[in-house]
Amino acid sequence: MKQGLIILGVLILGLSSCRKDPEDPLHKTPSSYKPTLVDPATIFPVGKFGMPQLPSDNPFTEEGIYLGRMLFYDPILSFDSSISCGSCHKQEYAFAEPKKFSTGIFGLQTGRNSSSLYNLAYSRKFFWDARQSTLREQVFEPIQAHNEMAMTLPFLAKRLARTDRYIEYFDKAFGSNPNVFDMSKALEQFLMTLVSKDSRFNGFFPGKFSLLSDTEKRGALLFNGLVDFDMVTGLATGTDCFHCHGGALAQQNNPDMGGIANNGLDGNFTDKGYGAITGNPADRGLFKTPSLLNIAVTGPYMHDGRFATLDEVIDHYSDNVNYLSPTISPMMAAHGNKQLKLTPQQKADLKAFLLTMTDSAFLTNPAYSNPFKK
Ligand code: HEC
Ligand code: HEC
Protein backbone atom coordinates (compact mmCIF):
# COMPACT_ATOMS: atom_id res chain seq x y z
CA MET A 1 0.00 0.00 0.00
CA LYS A 2 2.72 2.41 1.13
CA GLN A 3 4.78 1.40 -1.88
CA GLY A 4 1.75 2.07 -4.07
CA LEU A 5 1.40 5.55 -2.62
CA ILE A 6 5.07 6.27 -3.20
CA ILE A 7 4.82 5.13 -6.80
CA LEU A 8 1.71 7.27 -7.21
CA GLY A 9 3.55 10.20 -5.65
CA VAL A 10 6.46 9.76 -8.03
CA LEU A 11 4.02 9.56 -10.93
CA ILE A 12 2.25 12.75 -9.89
CA LEU A 13 5.56 14.52 -9.36
CA GLY A 14 6.68 13.18 -12.70
CA LEU A 15 3.53 14.44 -14.39
CA SER A 16 3.61 17.83 -12.72
CA SER A 17 7.24 18.30 -13.58
CA CYS A 18 6.39 17.43 -17.19
CA ARG A 19 3.80 20.13 -17.00
CA LYS A 20 6.37 22.76 -16.16
CA ASP A 21 8.83 21.73 -18.83
CA PRO A 22 8.48 24.18 -21.70
CA GLU A 23 10.15 21.69 -24.02
CA ASP A 24 7.56 19.00 -23.30
CA PRO A 25 5.47 18.46 -26.42
CA LEU A 26 2.48 17.03 -24.49
CA HIS A 27 1.80 19.84 -22.07
CA LYS A 28 1.70 23.54 -22.58
CA THR A 29 2.86 25.83 -19.86
CA PRO A 30 1.60 27.72 -18.07
CA SER A 31 -1.64 25.78 -18.17
CA SER A 32 -4.93 27.58 -18.25
CA TYR A 33 -6.62 24.43 -16.97
CA LYS A 34 -9.62 25.75 -15.06
CA PRO A 35 -12.67 24.07 -16.58
CA THR A 36 -16.11 25.27 -15.53
CA LEU A 37 -18.13 22.34 -14.20
CA VAL A 38 -21.71 22.04 -15.40
CA ASP A 39 -24.25 20.49 -13.02
CA PRO A 40 -26.01 17.58 -14.79
CA ALA A 41 -29.26 18.68 -13.14
CA THR A 42 -29.17 21.72 -15.44
CA ILE A 43 -28.80 19.50 -18.53
CA PHE A 44 -31.32 16.74 -17.85
CA PRO A 45 -35.01 17.24 -17.05
CA VAL A 46 -34.81 15.07 -13.95
CA GLY A 47 -38.50 15.52 -13.15
CA LYS A 48 -39.56 14.23 -16.58
CA PHE A 49 -36.90 11.71 -17.55
CA GLY A 50 -34.99 10.99 -14.32
CA MET A 51 -31.23 11.36 -14.00
CA PRO A 52 -29.38 9.15 -16.48
CA GLN A 53 -26.49 6.98 -15.43
CA LEU A 54 -23.45 9.09 -16.30
CA PRO A 55 -19.81 8.10 -16.79
CA SER A 56 -17.95 8.89 -13.56
CA ASP A 57 -14.72 9.90 -15.30
CA ASN A 58 -16.08 12.51 -17.69
CA PRO A 59 -17.74 15.35 -15.77
CA PHE A 60 -19.55 17.92 -17.89
CA THR A 61 -17.64 21.17 -18.31
CA GLU A 62 -18.49 24.18 -20.44
CA GLU A 63 -15.17 23.83 -22.22
CA GLY A 64 -15.56 20.09 -22.78
CA ILE A 65 -19.06 20.49 -24.22
CA TYR A 66 -17.94 23.30 -26.51
CA LEU A 67 -14.91 21.30 -27.65
CA GLY A 68 -17.23 18.39 -28.44
CA ARG A 69 -19.52 20.69 -30.35
CA MET A 70 -16.64 22.02 -32.48
CA LEU A 71 -15.42 18.49 -33.17
CA PHE A 72 -18.94 17.38 -34.13
CA TYR A 73 -19.16 20.04 -36.81
CA ASP A 74 -15.55 19.94 -37.98
CA PRO A 75 -14.84 18.30 -41.35
CA ILE A 76 -11.14 17.96 -40.47
CA LEU A 77 -12.16 14.79 -38.65
CA SER A 78 -12.45 13.15 -42.08
CA PHE A 79 -9.49 12.18 -44.25
CA ASP A 80 -10.05 14.77 -46.97
CA SER A 81 -11.64 17.34 -44.62
CA SER A 82 -14.96 17.10 -46.45
CA ILE A 83 -17.32 15.37 -43.99
CA SER A 84 -18.24 16.17 -40.40
CA CYS A 85 -20.55 14.32 -38.03
CA GLY A 86 -22.99 17.13 -38.81
CA SER A 87 -22.98 16.21 -42.52
CA CYS A 88 -25.15 13.16 -41.77
CA HIS A 89 -26.68 14.30 -38.47
CA LYS A 90 -28.53 17.59 -39.05
CA GLN A 91 -30.14 19.49 -36.21
CA GLU A 92 -33.29 20.50 -38.10
CA TYR A 93 -34.02 16.79 -38.61
CA ALA A 94 -33.35 15.92 -34.95
CA PHE A 95 -29.80 15.07 -36.06
CA ALA A 96 -30.94 12.47 -38.59
CA GLU A 97 -31.18 13.40 -42.27
CA PRO A 98 -33.96 13.07 -44.82
CA LYS A 99 -32.26 10.44 -46.98
CA LYS A 100 -32.54 6.68 -47.09
CA PHE A 101 -28.76 6.37 -46.79
CA SER A 102 -26.15 9.04 -46.11
CA THR A 103 -23.27 10.06 -48.31
CA GLY A 104 -19.88 9.85 -46.65
CA ILE A 105 -16.40 10.51 -47.94
CA PHE A 106 -15.60 10.04 -51.69
CA GLY A 107 -19.35 9.92 -52.40
CA LEU A 108 -19.70 6.52 -50.72
CA GLN A 109 -23.04 5.54 -49.16
CA THR A 110 -23.74 4.25 -45.66
CA GLY A 111 -25.39 0.84 -45.33
CA ARG A 112 -28.06 2.07 -42.93
CA ASN A 113 -30.27 5.09 -42.33
CA SER A 114 -28.72 7.89 -40.26
CA SER A 115 -29.84 7.76 -36.63
CA SER A 116 -31.46 10.70 -34.91
CA LEU A 117 -29.43 11.92 -31.92
CA TYR A 118 -31.04 13.10 -28.67
CA ASN A 119 -31.52 11.82 -25.13
CA LEU A 120 -28.58 9.50 -25.79
CA ALA A 121 -27.50 9.65 -22.14
CA TYR A 122 -30.57 7.49 -21.43
CA SER A 123 -29.62 4.86 -24.02
CA ARG A 124 -27.66 1.79 -23.05
CA LYS A 125 -26.93 0.61 -26.62
CA PHE A 126 -25.92 2.48 -29.75
CA PHE A 127 -26.37 1.92 -33.49
CA TRP A 128 -29.29 0.12 -35.10
CA ASP A 129 -27.69 -3.22 -34.28
CA ALA A 130 -26.87 -2.16 -30.70
CA ARG A 131 -23.20 -2.96 -31.21
CA GLN A 132 -21.76 -0.25 -28.95
CA SER A 133 -22.40 0.39 -25.29
CA THR A 134 -20.74 3.77 -24.75
CA LEU A 135 -20.72 6.97 -26.75
CA ARG A 136 -17.00 7.49 -26.34
CA GLU A 137 -16.35 4.17 -28.10
CA GLN A 138 -19.14 4.78 -30.61
CA VAL A 139 -17.54 7.96 -32.00
CA PHE A 140 -14.43 6.13 -33.21
CA GLU A 141 -16.52 4.09 -35.68
CA PRO A 142 -17.73 6.80 -38.07
CA ILE A 143 -14.33 8.51 -37.91
CA GLN A 144 -12.59 5.35 -39.12
CA ALA A 145 -15.30 3.84 -41.36
CA HIS A 146 -14.06 3.78 -44.96
CA ASN A 147 -17.43 5.04 -46.25
CA GLU A 148 -17.96 7.75 -43.63
CA MET A 149 -14.86 9.74 -42.63
CA ALA A 150 -12.05 7.27 -43.52
CA MET A 151 -9.61 8.74 -41.02
CA THR A 152 -6.83 7.02 -39.10
CA LEU A 153 -6.46 7.94 -35.44
CA PRO A 154 -2.71 8.73 -35.51
CA PHE A 155 -3.20 11.02 -38.49
CA LEU A 156 -6.18 12.69 -36.82
CA ALA A 157 -4.21 13.21 -33.60
CA LYS A 158 -1.51 14.99 -35.59
CA ARG A 159 -4.02 17.10 -37.45
CA LEU A 160 -5.77 18.20 -34.25
CA ALA A 161 -2.40 18.94 -32.64
CA ARG A 162 -1.53 21.51 -35.26
CA THR A 163 -4.88 23.29 -35.17
CA ASP A 164 -4.90 26.38 -32.94
CA ARG A 165 -8.52 26.09 -31.74
CA TYR A 166 -7.86 22.55 -30.55
CA ILE A 167 -4.55 23.40 -28.89
CA GLU A 168 -6.51 26.03 -26.98
CA TYR A 169 -9.60 23.96 -26.17
CA PHE A 170 -8.04 20.61 -25.26
CA ASP A 171 -5.99 22.53 -22.76
CA LYS A 172 -9.03 24.39 -21.43
CA ALA A 173 -11.22 21.28 -21.25
CA PHE A 174 -8.78 18.58 -20.20
CA GLY A 175 -5.45 20.29 -19.50
CA SER A 176 -4.02 18.25 -22.35
CA ASN A 177 -2.69 18.72 -25.81
CA PRO A 178 -5.01 17.46 -28.57
CA ASN A 179 -5.33 13.67 -28.49
CA VAL A 180 -7.99 11.23 -29.64
CA PHE A 181 -8.81 9.90 -26.17
CA ASP A 182 -9.89 13.30 -24.86
CA MET A 183 -11.52 13.95 -28.23
CA SER A 184 -13.84 11.00 -27.64
CA LYS A 185 -14.66 12.30 -24.16
CA ALA A 186 -15.47 15.77 -25.48
CA LEU A 187 -17.75 14.28 -28.15
CA GLU A 188 -19.37 12.14 -25.46
CA GLN A 189 -20.09 15.26 -23.40
CA PHE A 190 -21.59 17.14 -26.34
CA LEU A 191 -23.68 14.18 -27.51
CA MET A 192 -25.09 13.71 -24.02
CA THR A 193 -26.18 17.35 -23.84
CA LEU A 194 -28.49 16.84 -26.84
CA VAL A 195 -31.69 16.71 -24.83
CA SER A 196 -35.16 16.83 -26.37
CA LYS A 197 -37.76 17.50 -23.69
CA ASP A 198 -40.08 20.27 -24.88
CA SER A 199 -42.47 18.62 -27.32
CA ARG A 200 -46.18 19.01 -26.62
CA PHE A 201 -46.11 15.30 -25.84
CA ASN A 202 -43.59 15.89 -23.05
CA GLY A 203 -45.80 18.73 -21.83
CA PHE A 204 -48.86 16.56 -21.21
CA PHE A 205 -47.35 13.13 -20.64
CA PRO A 206 -48.12 11.18 -18.52
CA GLY A 207 -51.29 12.63 -17.09
CA LYS A 208 -52.70 15.76 -18.69
CA PHE A 209 -54.61 14.23 -21.59
CA SER A 210 -57.09 17.10 -21.36
CA LEU A 211 -54.50 19.20 -23.23
CA LEU A 212 -55.02 17.07 -26.34
CA SER A 213 -57.42 17.60 -29.21
CA ASP A 214 -59.99 14.86 -29.75
CA THR A 215 -58.08 13.19 -32.56
CA GLU A 216 -54.81 13.31 -30.56
CA LYS A 217 -56.59 11.87 -27.54
CA ARG A 218 -57.95 8.96 -29.58
CA GLY A 219 -54.44 8.45 -30.97
CA ALA A 220 -52.99 8.41 -27.45
CA LEU A 221 -55.51 5.76 -26.42
CA LEU A 222 -54.63 3.61 -29.43
CA PHE A 223 -50.88 4.03 -28.84
CA ASN A 224 -51.12 3.18 -25.15
CA GLY A 225 -53.84 0.56 -25.45
CA LEU A 226 -53.37 -3.18 -25.55
CA VAL A 227 -54.41 -4.91 -28.72
CA ASP A 228 -57.85 -6.35 -28.40
CA PHE A 229 -60.29 -7.11 -31.16
CA ASP A 230 -63.80 -5.79 -30.71
CA MET A 231 -66.21 -8.73 -30.80
CA VAL A 232 -68.78 -6.88 -32.86
CA THR A 233 -66.75 -4.86 -35.36
CA GLY A 234 -63.63 -7.06 -35.45
CA LEU A 235 -61.56 -3.87 -35.20
CA ALA A 236 -58.52 -3.43 -33.00
CA THR A 237 -59.17 -1.31 -29.92
CA GLY A 238 -55.52 -0.53 -29.13
CA THR A 239 -52.27 -0.73 -31.10
CA ASP A 240 -49.80 -1.48 -28.31
CA CYS A 241 -47.04 0.85 -29.42
CA PHE A 242 -46.18 1.72 -25.82
CA HIS A 243 -44.54 -1.59 -24.99
CA CYS A 244 -41.58 -0.64 -27.18
CA HIS A 245 -42.00 3.14 -27.63
CA GLY A 246 -43.56 4.01 -24.26
CA GLY A 247 -42.73 6.39 -21.44
CA ALA A 248 -41.60 10.00 -21.52
CA LEU A 249 -38.68 9.15 -23.83
CA ALA A 250 -41.04 7.36 -26.28
CA GLN A 251 -38.49 4.58 -26.28
CA GLN A 252 -37.93 1.44 -24.32
CA ASN A 253 -34.25 1.46 -23.43
CA ASN A 254 -34.10 -1.91 -21.70
CA PRO A 255 -32.78 -4.27 -24.40
CA ASP A 256 -34.73 -7.20 -22.94
CA MET A 257 -38.08 -5.43 -22.71
CA GLY A 258 -38.52 -4.30 -26.30
CA GLY A 259 -35.45 -2.02 -26.52
CA ILE A 260 -34.05 -4.32 -29.21
CA ALA A 261 -36.75 -6.05 -31.23
CA ASN A 262 -38.03 -7.42 -34.51
CA ASN A 263 -41.12 -5.37 -35.37
CA GLY A 264 -42.21 -7.66 -38.17
CA LEU A 265 -40.66 -6.04 -41.23
CA ASP A 266 -39.11 -9.08 -42.93
CA GLY A 267 -39.22 -12.84 -43.14
CA ASN A 268 -35.76 -13.17 -44.66
CA PHE A 269 -33.11 -10.90 -43.24
CA THR A 270 -30.76 -9.16 -45.64
CA ASP A 271 -29.48 -7.19 -42.63
CA LYS A 272 -29.24 -9.48 -39.61
CA GLY A 273 -28.96 -6.50 -37.23
CA TYR A 274 -28.33 -7.51 -33.64
CA GLY A 275 -28.00 -11.15 -34.73
CA ALA A 276 -24.83 -10.33 -36.67
CA ILE A 277 -23.34 -8.93 -33.45
CA THR A 278 -24.30 -11.73 -31.06
CA GLY A 279 -24.11 -14.60 -33.57
CA ASN A 280 -27.30 -15.92 -32.02
CA PRO A 281 -29.93 -16.98 -34.62
CA ALA A 282 -32.66 -15.83 -32.21
CA ASP A 283 -31.34 -12.25 -32.58
CA ARG A 284 -31.53 -12.11 -36.40
CA GLY A 285 -33.55 -9.16 -37.65
CA LEU A 286 -33.62 -7.44 -34.26
CA PHE A 287 -32.84 -3.70 -34.19
CA LYS A 288 -32.60 -0.98 -31.57
CA THR A 289 -36.04 0.50 -30.96
CA PRO A 290 -35.81 4.20 -31.84
CA SER A 291 -37.39 6.96 -29.79
CA LEU A 292 -40.46 8.45 -31.45
CA LEU A 293 -39.79 11.98 -30.17
CA ASN A 294 -39.38 14.25 -33.21
CA ILE A 295 -40.57 11.39 -35.42
CA ALA A 296 -42.24 13.82 -37.84
CA VAL A 297 -38.82 15.09 -38.98
CA THR A 298 -36.60 11.99 -38.90
CA GLY A 299 -37.86 10.17 -41.98
CA PRO A 300 -37.31 8.07 -43.96
CA TYR A 301 -37.97 5.40 -41.36
CA MET A 302 -36.50 2.10 -40.11
CA HIS A 303 -32.86 0.93 -40.18
CA ASP A 304 -32.86 0.91 -43.97
CA GLY A 305 -35.07 3.93 -44.51
CA ARG A 306 -37.63 1.77 -46.33
CA PHE A 307 -40.66 3.87 -45.41
CA ALA A 308 -40.71 7.42 -46.72
CA THR A 309 -43.61 8.66 -44.59
CA LEU A 310 -45.32 8.12 -41.25
CA ASP A 311 -48.38 6.94 -43.17
CA GLU A 312 -46.33 4.09 -44.59
CA VAL A 313 -45.08 3.21 -41.10
CA ILE A 314 -48.63 3.14 -39.76
CA ASP A 315 -49.75 1.02 -42.73
CA HIS A 316 -46.98 -1.43 -41.82
CA TYR A 317 -48.14 -1.84 -38.23
CA SER A 318 -51.79 -1.89 -39.27
CA ASP A 319 -51.77 -4.15 -42.29
CA ASN A 320 -48.41 -5.65 -43.17
CA VAL A 321 -46.72 -7.09 -40.08
CA ASN A 322 -44.89 -10.24 -41.09
CA TYR A 323 -46.09 -12.67 -38.44
CA LEU A 324 -44.13 -15.47 -40.11
CA SER A 325 -40.85 -13.67 -39.40
CA PRO A 326 -38.91 -16.24 -37.35
CA THR A 327 -37.78 -13.83 -34.64
CA ILE A 328 -40.79 -11.53 -34.42
CA SER A 329 -41.13 -9.88 -31.02
CA PRO A 330 -43.25 -12.01 -28.68
CA MET A 331 -45.15 -8.81 -27.85
CA MET A 332 -46.30 -8.57 -31.45
CA ALA A 333 -46.84 -12.29 -31.92
CA ALA A 334 -49.19 -12.07 -28.93
CA HIS A 335 -51.70 -10.26 -31.20
CA GLY A 336 -52.57 -13.71 -32.45
CA ASN A 337 -51.03 -13.25 -35.91
CA LYS A 338 -53.88 -10.96 -36.79
CA GLN A 339 -53.36 -7.65 -38.61
CA LEU A 340 -54.76 -4.65 -36.72
CA LYS A 341 -56.61 -3.42 -39.83
CA LEU A 342 -56.98 0.13 -38.55
CA THR A 343 -59.66 2.32 -40.08
CA PRO A 344 -58.62 5.50 -41.91
CA GLN A 345 -59.86 7.43 -38.86
CA GLN A 346 -57.74 5.36 -36.47
CA LYS A 347 -54.69 5.81 -38.68
CA ALA A 348 -55.24 9.57 -38.73
CA ASP A 349 -55.67 9.61 -34.94
CA LEU A 350 -52.46 7.65 -34.37
CA LYS A 351 -50.59 9.99 -36.69
CA ALA A 352 -52.00 13.08 -34.96
CA PHE A 353 -50.70 11.71 -31.67
CA LEU A 354 -47.24 11.04 -33.14
CA LEU A 355 -47.13 14.62 -34.41
CA THR A 356 -47.39 15.93 -30.82
CA MET A 357 -43.89 14.56 -30.26
CA THR A 358 -42.06 17.19 -32.32
CA ASP A 359 -39.86 19.44 -30.17
CA SER A 360 -39.19 22.57 -32.20
CA ALA A 361 -37.19 24.16 -29.36
CA PHE A 362 -34.76 21.25 -29.66
CA LEU A 363 -34.58 21.50 -33.45
CA THR A 364 -33.58 25.16 -33.23
CA ASN A 365 -31.67 25.29 -29.91
CA PRO A 366 -28.64 27.52 -30.64
CA ALA A 367 -26.53 25.55 -28.13
CA TYR A 368 -26.49 22.64 -30.58
CA SER A 369 -25.84 24.51 -33.79
CA ASN A 370 -22.68 24.63 -35.88
CA PRO A 371 -20.29 26.92 -33.96
CA PHE A 372 -18.32 27.69 -37.13
CA LYS A 373 -21.39 29.27 -38.77
CA LYS A 374 -22.26 32.39 -36.87
C1 HEC B 1 -21.52 9.44 -43.53
C2 HEC B 1 -22.58 9.70 -42.59
C3 HEC B 1 -22.27 9.74 -41.12
C4 HEC B 1 -21.26 10.42 -40.48
C5 HEC B 1 -20.14 11.25 -41.09
C6 HEC B 1 -21.44 10.19 -39.06
N1 HEC B 1 -22.54 9.40 -38.86
FE1 HEC B 1 -23.30 8.85 -37.06
N2 HEC B 1 -24.55 7.58 -37.97
C7 HEC B 1 -24.69 7.44 -39.34
C8 HEC B 1 -25.46 6.25 -39.63
C9 HEC B 1 -25.83 5.74 -41.01
C10 HEC B 1 -25.79 5.67 -38.38
C11 HEC B 1 -26.50 4.35 -38.15
C12 HEC B 1 -25.40 3.30 -38.39
C13 HEC B 1 -25.69 1.94 -37.85
O1 HEC B 1 -26.56 1.82 -37.01
O2 HEC B 1 -25.02 0.97 -38.25
C14 HEC B 1 -25.20 6.55 -37.37
C15 HEC B 1 -25.35 6.34 -36.00
C16 HEC B 1 -24.82 7.17 -35.02
C17 HEC B 1 -25.07 7.07 -33.59
C18 HEC B 1 -25.94 6.03 -32.89
C19 HEC B 1 -27.22 6.64 -32.36
C20 HEC B 1 -28.10 5.67 -31.62
O3 HEC B 1 -29.11 6.11 -31.06
O4 HEC B 1 -27.83 4.46 -31.58
C21 HEC B 1 -24.35 8.08 -32.99
C22 HEC B 1 -24.28 8.40 -31.50
C23 HEC B 1 -23.65 8.79 -34.04
N3 HEC B 1 -23.97 8.22 -35.25
C24 HEC B 1 -22.79 9.84 -33.83
C25 HEC B 1 -21.90 10.30 -34.81
C26 HEC B 1 -20.74 11.13 -34.53
C27 HEC B 1 -20.34 11.66 -33.16
C28 HEC B 1 -20.11 11.34 -35.72
C29 HEC B 1 -18.82 12.08 -35.99
C30 HEC B 1 -17.65 11.61 -35.27
C31 HEC B 1 -20.90 10.65 -36.74
N4 HEC B 1 -21.96 10.03 -36.14
C32 HEC B 1 -20.61 10.70 -38.09
C33 HEC B 1 -24.16 8.27 -40.30
C34 HEC B 1 -23.06 9.09 -40.08
C1 HEC C 1 -42.07 -5.06 -30.36
C2 HEC C 1 -41.62 -3.70 -30.25
C3 HEC C 1 -42.30 -2.65 -31.08
C4 HEC C 1 -43.64 -2.32 -31.12
C5 HEC C 1 -44.78 -2.98 -30.37
C6 HEC C 1 -43.74 -1.17 -32.00
N1 HEC C 1 -42.53 -0.83 -32.48
FE1 HEC C 1 -42.10 0.72 -33.70
N2 HEC C 1 -40.20 0.08 -33.86
C7 HEC C 1 -39.65 -1.01 -33.20
C8 HEC C 1 -38.33 -1.28 -33.72
C9 HEC C 1 -37.40 -2.39 -33.25
C10 HEC C 1 -38.10 -0.34 -34.73
C11 HEC C 1 -36.87 -0.26 -35.65
C12 HEC C 1 -36.98 -1.41 -36.64
C13 HEC C 1 -36.00 -1.40 -37.76
O1 HEC C 1 -35.48 -0.34 -38.13
O2 HEC C 1 -35.73 -2.46 -38.33
C14 HEC C 1 -39.29 0.50 -34.78
C15 HEC C 1 -39.44 1.60 -35.64
C16 HEC C 1 -40.53 2.45 -35.62
C17 HEC C 1 -40.59 3.70 -36.33
C18 HEC C 1 -39.49 4.28 -37.20
C19 HEC C 1 -38.49 5.02 -36.33
C20 HEC C 1 -37.32 5.59 -37.06
O3 HEC C 1 -36.65 6.47 -36.49
O4 HEC C 1 -37.03 5.17 -38.20
C21 HEC C 1 -41.82 4.25 -36.06
C22 HEC C 1 -42.34 5.57 -36.58
C23 HEC C 1 -42.51 3.33 -35.19
N3 HEC C 1 -41.70 2.26 -34.93
C24 HEC C 1 -43.79 3.52 -34.73
C25 HEC C 1 -44.50 2.55 -34.02
C26 HEC C 1 -45.93 2.61 -33.78
C27 HEC C 1 -46.82 3.74 -34.21
C28 HEC C 1 -46.25 1.45 -33.11
C29 HEC C 1 -47.63 0.97 -32.71
C30 HEC C 1 -48.55 0.81 -33.80
C31 HEC C 1 -45.02 0.69 -32.94
N4 HEC C 1 -44.00 1.38 -33.51
C32 HEC C 1 -44.94 -0.52 -32.29
C33 HEC C 1 -40.25 -1.72 -32.21
C34 HEC C 1 -41.62 -1.72 -31.95
Side-chain angles (χ1 to χ4, degrees), residues 10 13 15 20 25 27 40 59 62 64 78 102-103 123 167 188 204 210 226 238 280 314 343 366 371:
V10 170
L13 273 177
L15 283 176
K20 291 194 191 93
H27 293 108
E62 277 176 20
S78 65
S102 297
T103 306
S123 256
I167 296 170
E188 180 174 68
F204 66 74
S210 57
L226 289 169
N280 182 349
I314 292 171
T343 63

Coordinates of all heavy atoms in Angstrom, one line a residue, residues 10 13 15 20 25 27 40 59 62 64 78 102-103 123 167 188 204 210 226 238 280 314 343 366 371:
V10 N 5.4 9.5 -7.0 CA 6.5 9.8 -8.0 C 5.8 10.1 -9.4 O 6.2 11.0 -10.1 CB 7.3 8.5 -8.1 CG1 8.3 8.6 -9.3 CG2 8.1 8.3 -6.9
L13 N 4.4 13.6 -9.2 CA 5.6 14.5 -9.4 C 6.1 14.5 -10.8 O 6.3 15.6 -11.4 CB 6.7 14.1 -8.4 CG 6.6 14.6 -7.0 CD1 7.8 14.0 -6.2 CD2 6.7 16.1 -7.0
L15 N 4.5 13.8 -13.5 CA 3.5 14.4 -14.4 C 3.6 15.9 -14.2 O 3.6 16.7 -15.2 CB 2.1 14.0 -14.1 CG 1.7 12.6 -14.6 CD1 0.3 12.2 -14.2 CD2 1.8 12.6 -16.2
K20 N 5.6 21.5 -16.2 CA 6.4 22.8 -16.2 C 7.5 22.9 -17.2 O 8.1 23.9 -17.4 CB 7.0 22.9 -14.8 CG 5.9 23.1 -13.7 CD 6.5 23.6 -12.4 CE 5.5 23.5 -11.3 NZ 5.5 22.3 -10.5
P25 N 6.4 18.3 -25.3 CA 5.5 18.5 -26.4 C 4.0 18.2 -26.0 O 3.1 18.6 -26.6 CB 5.9 17.4 -27.5 CG 6.6 16.4 -26.7 CD 7.2 17.1 -25.5
H27 N 2.5 18.9 -22.9 CA 1.8 19.8 -22.1 C 2.3 21.2 -22.3 O 3.5 21.5 -22.2 CB 2.0 19.4 -20.6 CG 1.3 18.2 -20.3 ND1 2.0 17.0 -20.1 CD2 0.0 17.9 -20.2 CE1 1.1 16.0 -19.8 NE2 -0.1 16.5 -19.9
P40 N -25.1 18.4 -13.9 CA -26.0 17.6 -14.8 C -27.5 17.9 -14.6 O -28.3 17.8 -15.5 CB -25.7 16.1 -14.4 CG -24.4 16.2 -13.8 CD -24.2 17.5 -13.2
P59 N -16.8 14.3 -16.2 CA -17.7 15.4 -15.8 C -18.0 16.4 -16.9 O -17.1 16.7 -17.6 CB -17.0 16.0 -14.6 CG -15.6 15.7 -14.7 CD -15.5 14.4 -15.5
E62 N -18.1 23.3 -19.3 CA -18.5 24.2 -20.4 C -17.5 24.0 -21.6 O -17.9 24.0 -22.8 CB -18.5 25.6 -20.0 CG -19.8 26.0 -19.3 CD -19.8 27.4 -18.8 OE1 -19.0 28.3 -19.2 OE2 -20.7 27.7 -17.9
G64 N -15.5 21.4 -22.2 CA -15.6 20.1 -22.8 C -16.7 20.0 -23.8 O -16.6 19.4 -24.9
S78 N -12.5 14.1 -41.0 CA -12.5 13.1 -42.1 C -11.2 13.3 -42.9 O -10.6 14.4 -42.9 CB -13.7 13.3 -43.0 OG -13.6 14.6 -43.7
S102 N -26.9 7.8 -46.1 CA -26.2 9.0 -46.1 C -24.9 8.9 -47.0 O -24.4 7.8 -47.2 CB -25.7 9.4 -44.7 OG -26.8 9.6 -43.9
T103 N -24.5 10.1 -47.5 CA -23.3 10.1 -48.3 C -22.1 10.4 -47.4 O -22.1 11.5 -46.8 CB -23.4 11.1 -49.5 OG1 -24.6 10.8 -50.2 CG2 -22.2 11.0 -50.4
S123 N -29.7 6.1 -23.2 CA -29.6 4.9 -24.0 C -28.5 4.0 -23.5 O -27.4 4.5 -23.1 CB -29.3 5.2 -25.5 OG -30.4 5.1 -26.3
I167 N -5.6 23.2 -29.9 CA -4.5 23.4 -28.9 C -5.1 24.2 -27.7 O -5.0 23.8 -26.6 CB -3.3 24.1 -29.5 CG1 -2.7 23.2 -30.6 CG2 -2.3 24.5 -28.4 CD1 -1.7 23.9 -31.5
E188 N -18.4 12.8 -26.4 CA -19.4 12.1 -25.5 C -20.1 13.2 -24.7 O -21.4 13.1 -24.5 CB -18.6 11.2 -24.5 CG -19.5 10.5 -23.5 CD -18.8 9.4 -22.7 OE1 -17.9 9.8 -21.8 OE2 -19.0 8.2 -22.9
F204 N -47.7 17.2 -21.8 CA -48.9 16.6 -21.2 C -48.6 15.2 -20.6 O -49.4 14.7 -19.8 CB -50.1 16.6 -22.2 CG -49.9 15.7 -23.4 CD1 -50.0 14.3 -23.3 CD2 -49.7 16.2 -24.6 CE1 -49.8 13.5 -24.4 CE2 -49.5 15.4 -25.7 CZ -49.6 14.0 -25.6
S210 N -56.1 16.1 -21.0 CA -57.1 17.1 -21.4 C -56.5 18.2 -22.3 O -57.2 18.9 -22.9 CB -57.6 17.8 -20.1 OG -56.5 18.3 -19.4
L226 N -53.7 -1.8 -25.1 CA -53.4 -3.2 -25.5 C -54.2 -3.6 -26.8 O -55.3 -3.1 -26.9 CB -53.6 -4.2 -24.4 CG -52.7 -4.0 -23.2 CD1 -53.2 -4.8 -22.0 CD2 -51.3 -4.5 -23.6
G238 N -56.8 -1.2 -29.5 CA -55.5 -0.5 -29.1 C -54.4 -1.0 -30.1 O -54.6 -2.1 -30.7
N280 N -26.2 -15.1 -32.5 CA -27.3 -15.9 -32.0 C -28.5 -15.9 -33.0 O -29.0 -14.8 -33.3 CB -27.8 -15.4 -30.6 CG -28.9 -16.3 -30.1 OD1 -29.5 -17.1 -30.8 ND2 -29.2 -16.1 -28.8
I314 N -47.4 3.6 -40.4 CA -48.6 3.1 -39.8 C -49.3 2.0 -40.6 O -49.8 1.1 -40.0 CB -49.6 4.4 -39.6 CG1 -48.9 5.3 -38.5 CG2 -51.0 4.0 -39.2 CD1 -49.6 6.7 -38.4
T343 N -58.8 1.5 -39.2 CA -59.7 2.3 -40.1 C -58.9 3.6 -40.5 O -58.0 4.0 -39.7 CB -61.0 2.8 -39.4 OG1 -60.6 3.6 -38.3 CG2 -61.8 1.6 -38.9
P366 N -29.9 27.0 -30.2 CA -28.6 27.5 -30.6 C -27.5 26.8 -30.0 O -26.4 26.8 -30.6 CB -28.7 29.0 -30.3 CG -29.8 29.2 -29.4 CD -30.8 28.1 -29.5
P371 N -20.9 25.7 -34.5 CA -20.3 26.9 -34.0 C -19.4 27.7 -35.0 O -19.0 28.8 -34.7 CB -19.4 26.3 -32.8 CG -19.1 24.9 -33.3 CD -20.3 24.5 -34.1

